[in-house]
Amino acid sequence: MYKNFFGLKENPFNVNPDPRFLYLTKQIEEALTGLMYGIQTRKGFITLTGEVGTGKTTLVNRLLDWLHHRNARTAFLFNSRMNSNQLFDFILAEFDIACDSKSKSQQLMKLNHWLLDRYRAGETVVLIIDEAQNLTYPVLEEIRLLTNLETSTEKLLQIVLSGQPELEEKLKLPQLRQLRQRIMLRCRTTPLSQEQTQEYITERLRIAGAAGAPIFSPKAVETIHVYSLGIPRVINLLCEHSLVNAFVEQQRPIQPKIVEEVAHEFQLDEVEPIAPPGGSKVDTDVYNSEVFLQNLGEALSRFRLSPSSTRERK
Ligand SMILES: Nc1ncnc2c1ncn2[C@@H]1O[C@H](COP(=O)(O)OP(=O)(O)OP(=O)(O)O)[C@@H](O)[C@H]1O
Ligand SMILES: [Mg+2]
């Protein structure tokens, strides 16, 4: 296992949105503080948006940890491909509210009563919907109705919609202007700068138990930044496979050539590595595109079958 070779206790670049590994850049810290502040002050409706793979779900998981420590009531919906009936079913189930009726008005009334009870007990109730860019207009319209649950002074339900930049675009549509006007706070995640990429890699390695001499050479880190465009999910992918390949070659610190080979294997060298000035839209398209995902999938399956991976997994 490469863990022994590099002196690590666990896998540092797991693709799970594990909040333990959260690296706080200034921007991420701002987003997290914004979310906490918005919920604490019962702002009502907050959005969290950012490019694919920039840490929204990881941030939401950290937020959920924080909320659980404060005994807040939370409902976390991550399957955003639902219709409005399912939305209410999910919300009631997540909050553990018993309701025999399938009628929406009955369900809404139950929810309202329950929220008032929570409010009187001094409890905060938060609904978080991830992947919210997939929500349909009818469901977004229902969410608007949920923002109307309030006392004369405060919102009873705090709602966080987290999603890719398409969510922002969707919320700009004229038919959703009522919902848009209710957004009290907008938080964002962004790709990492080169310096942040360096710190991100060092931090994840540290949490995984790395100590002593660097594992990646500075040039290798630069190369990772060039191919990943500072997107944490792609950084993880490059780092993980570079660790495997470097272990096979018994190389430490890891040199840029290893990173380049991984980037080539995942065809990251076939997409424009540097974002055009002023345009982050292209980054999203690149990493969101069917072709990219298909290439990634194929490269992953090739990797799984490769002798080096068999060696590593033993
Ligand atoms: N600030 C961060 N600190 C530590 N790890 C991070 C950070 N941001 C992202 N990651 C890692 O990058 C990967 C992708 O993050 P995550 O799934 O949270 O992104 P996302 O914005 O929700 O992506 P998507 O738009 O595809 O849902 C995960 O493995 C996560 O651990
Ligand atoms: Mg996500």
Side-chain angles (χ1 to χ4, degrees), residues 50-95:
E51 303 290 347
V52 176
T54 50
K56 299 177 293 296
T57 304
T58 314
L59 195 58
V60 161
N61 283 338
R62 170 63 72 92
L63 179 71
L64 281 165
D65 279 355
W66 178 80
L67 288 168
H68 291 156
H69 277 110
R70 302 175 63 87
N71 294 326
R73 302 294 193 108
T74 59
F76 179 39
L77 307 188
F78 46 85
N79 174 14
S80 53
R81 296 190 190 275
M82 58 186 146
N83 61 35
S84 27
N85 289 334
Q86 289 165 330
L87 172 74
F88 283 97
D89 290 347
F90 280 139
I91 292 175
L92 293 184
E94 279 281 290
F95 287 135

Side-chain angles (χ1 to χ4, degrees), residues 33-44 46 158 185:
T33 314
L35 287 162
M36 291 169 168
Y37 166 80
I39 290 170
Q40 252 171 343
T41 53
R42 294 179 180 269
K43 288 282 178 204
I46 308 170
Q158 311 311 310
L185 207 61

Side-chain angles (χ1 to χ4, degrees), residues 163-298:
Q164 291 160 9
E166 294 87 320
L167 174 64
E168 283 186 16
E169 295 307 312
K170 219 173 218 182
L171 292 170
K172 278 184 197 155
L173 290 165
Q175 59 268 45
L176 289 173
R177 64 188 185 285
Q178 270 188 298
L179 183 61
R180 187 174 66 243
Q181 284 174 4
R182 285 170 167 76
I183 305 173
M184 288 299 146
L185 207 61
R186 294 165 188 267
C187 304
R188 288 192 177 81
T189 56
T190 49
L192 307 180
S193 67
Q194 182 168 325
E195 203 186 334
Q196 290 169 338
T197 301
Q198 158 79 65
E199 285 172 11
Y200 172 88
I201 294 171
T202 310
E203 181 62 5
R204 287 194 80 112
L205 287 167
R206 188 192 62 75
I207 297 169
I215 292 179
F216 287 90
S217 72
K219 282 269 177 233
V221 172
E222 255 175 57
T223 312
I224 290 167
H225 184 258
V226 167
Y227 284 111
S228 66
L229 301 167
I231 294 180
R233 185 180 289 127
V234 185
I235 299 176
N236 283 12
L237 178 94
L238 286 168
C239 287
E240 163 70 7
H241 295 292
S242 297
L243 284 173
V244 174
N245 292 0
F247 165 66
V248 172
E249 294 187 17
Q250 298 283 293
Q251 185 185 99
R252 179 178 177 164
I254 298 171
Q255 298 304 312
K257 187 161 175 289
I258 293 249
V259 179
E260 267 159 22
E261 281 164 6
V262 175
H264 180 67
E265 186 174 0
F266 284 86
Q267 301 174 343
L268 295 174
D269 53 353
E270 288 178 26
V271 292
E272 189 58 55
I274 303 290
S280 62
K281 183 81 183 76
V282 173
D283 306 356
T284 330
D285 290 347
V286 163
Y287 290 112
N288 212 6
S289 76
E290 293 270 317
V291 177
F292 176 77
L293 293 174
Q294 200 181 340
N295 288 343
L296 205 64
E298 277 168 14

